[in-house]
Amino acid sequence: MLKITRKDEDFFLRTYQKGDEEKIITLINESLGINETLAHWQWKYITNPTGSLIILVTDKKGTIIGHIGLQRKRGVYYGVEYNFFISIDVAVTAPYRGYGLFGSSPLLLPSEKFIILGFPNSEALYSYKKFPPEYAQNFFFVDVPVFTKTLRLISRVHHLWSKREDSIQIVELKPIELDVLTNLWEKKKQELTTSVIRDAQYLKWRVCDCPQEITLYEIRINNCCIGYLSIVVKEKICFIIDIIVLNAHLTPVLIESMEDLAYSLGASVIQLMINDGSIISLLLQEGYAVREKITCTHLNTIEKGKHFVSYITYSDTDLF
């Protein structure tokens, strides 16, 4: 437990303890105006196979007034495995906002080298300036585009008419079939500089065990796995939550096959968040437009001050 003083009032920073859950859920819902459930919160932090770090702020009576959830994930940074922390659910009860209560929270971070990624709103962006200088000066921010396209029936008819026998197949995967994606990841990580590790263990937790219904699809060509998609369809929008495809197969035929799948699922719009340059070029070529940009903050303690580009999709956020 770490004592801090703000505006002549004492507060305490500590990590999560069993039994804090209900108070945390109440704080998050009241502070962020959402409807978080205990089951979803436990999935995000407690059942995560690689663990989590939850930092709380209490007043002198022990009441929880602040929460930062950091999902721990395995990641690769230029070929070497490190811990990645994904910062989500930053919540402070209204009377104490602006106090800089989490300015000392880095003192509770582990001593080993790591990467932090976060997706802060405008209020949370301001709070980064209140971190100690050795952290604040090493944060940098990038905007990750969200792409969208309206699907048209005439295009789908053309796709189906022009399909060949050796075209791409996209088939639903069951949890017992995930090992093929670990083999895929071993190939794909050679094409990325920095990314959360997306192997079978990760996908079982992130997709199959998620309380929100997400469907996982394998992408094949000539019966060989070349990639995967995870998808949620809501209100006729097909959200591509995650996408991994070997670079050699990033072609217009891939996009056509994705759009055909979206059509078959009843969607009229397809939407995805991605910052990979090769995929972005392909999407723009195929008529996708940028709907919005989501700010992502990076902290690099491996090589302090060095900017890097981590592979990011909706899967790295808590939007789904």
Side-chain angles (χ1 to χ4, degrees), residues 79-136:
V80 181
E81 186 170 328
Y82 291 95
N83 279 324
F84 280 37
F85 290 96
I86 313 299
S87 174
I88 51 179
D89 291 332
V90 180
V92 178
T93 192
Y96 297 104
R97 293 172 191 166
Y99 275 51
L101 294 176
F102 286 113
S104 299
S105 61
L107 298 176
L108 298 181
L109 294 172
S111 57
E112 77 266 17
K113 295 178 179 180
F114 55 84
I115 295 290
I116 289 183
L117 301 175
F119 303 89
N121 58 25
S122 56
E123 291 183 4
L125 272 173
Y126 176 73
S127 69
Y128 283 93
K129 299 178 182 179
K130 299 185 178 181
F131 283 172
E134 63 269 26
Y135 286 94

Side-chain angles (χ1 to χ4, degrees), residues 256-294:
E256 292 172 2
S257 299
M258 290 167 50
E259 293 174 1
D260 289 345
L261 174 64
Y263 249 115
S264 72
L265 297 173
S268 57
V269 174
I270 192 166
Q271 183 170 311
L272 68 161
M273 175 183 181
I274 189 72
N275 68 339
D276 180 82
S278 297
I279 296 178
I280 287 175
S281 296
L282 181 59
L283 292 174
L284 293 174
Q285 174 186 326
E286 294 302 306
Y288 285 72
V290 176
R291 180 181 183 273
E292 61 179 327
K293 293 184 178 180
I294 296 176

Side-chain angles (χ1 to χ4, degrees), residues 43-250:
W43 167 76
K44 283 194 288 188
Y45 301 111
I46 307 305
T47 66
N48 179 359
T50 46
S52 60
L53 175 62
I54 301 165
I55 300 174
L56 304 174
V57 180
T58 67
D59 62 16
K60 60 185 178 182
K61 296 180 181 179
T63 303
I64 296 173
I65 60 171
H67 170 282
I68 292 182
L70 294 165
Q71 287 180 338
R72 186 193 305 265
K73 298 183 180 180
R74 296 175 301 130
V76 287
Y77 178 82
Y78 291 92
V80 181
E81 186 170 328
Y82 291 95
N83 279 324
F84 280 37
F85 290 96
I86 313 299
S87 174
I88 51 179
D89 291 332
V90 180
V92 178
T93 192
Y96 297 104
R97 293 172 191 166
Y99 275 51
L101 294 176
F102 286 113
S104 299
S105 61
L107 298 176
L108 298 181
L109 294 172
S111 57
E112 77 266 17
K113 295 178 179 180
F114 55 84
I115 295 290
I116 289 183
L117 301 175
F119 303 89
N121 58 25
S122 56
E123 291 183 4
L125 272 173
Y126 176 73
S127 69
Y128 283 93
K129 299 178 182 179
K130 299 185 178 181
F131 283 172
E134 63 269 26
Y135 286 94
Q137 65 189 8
N138 288 316
F139 277 109
F140 64 95
F141 304 88
V142 296
D143 289 332
V144 181
V146 174
F147 291 90
T148 187
K149 181 180 180 181
T150 299
L151 306 178
R152 306 194 183 281
L153 179 59
I154 190 170
S155 298
R156 181 169 186 253
V157 171
H158 173 73
H159 297 169
L160 293 174
W161 181 262
S162 60
K163 272 195 172 182
R164 303 178 307 180
E165 290 185 1
D166 62 349
S167 62
I168 289 173
Q169 302 93 39
I170 304 180
V171 296
E172 185 174 345
L173 270 182
K174 303 300 181 184
I176 61 172
E177 302 172 317
L178 294 185
D179 285 346
V180 65
L181 299 185
T182 294
N183 297 330
L184 169 71
W185 172 252
E186 289 302 313
K187 298 176 183 177
K188 184 61 185 180
K189 72 179 183 181
Q190 306 301 322
E191 301 178 346
L192 300 172
T193 58
T194 309
S195 175
V196 167
I197 292 173
R198 289 156 153 83
D199 58 9
Q201 181 193 48
Y202 169 80
L203 291 168
K204 181 182 182 303
W205 167 75
R206 184 62 182 87
V207 178
C208 302
D209 295 343
C210 181
Q212 181 171 1
E213 188 173 342
I214 303 175
T215 306
L216 188 62
Y217 295 89
E218 179 188 1
I219 306 172
R220 300 174 184 167
I221 189 166
N222 296 327
N223 291 319
C224 292
C225 178
I226 63 163
Y228 75 77
L229 302 169
S230 59
I231 288 176
V232 169
V233 178
K234 294 195 302 185
E235 298 177 351
K236 294 193 174 182
I237 301 175
C238 177
F239 294 95
I240 307 295
I241 308 305
D242 201 13
I243 175 172
I244 286 288
V245 180
L246 298 176
N247 285 347
H249 300 285
L250 291 174

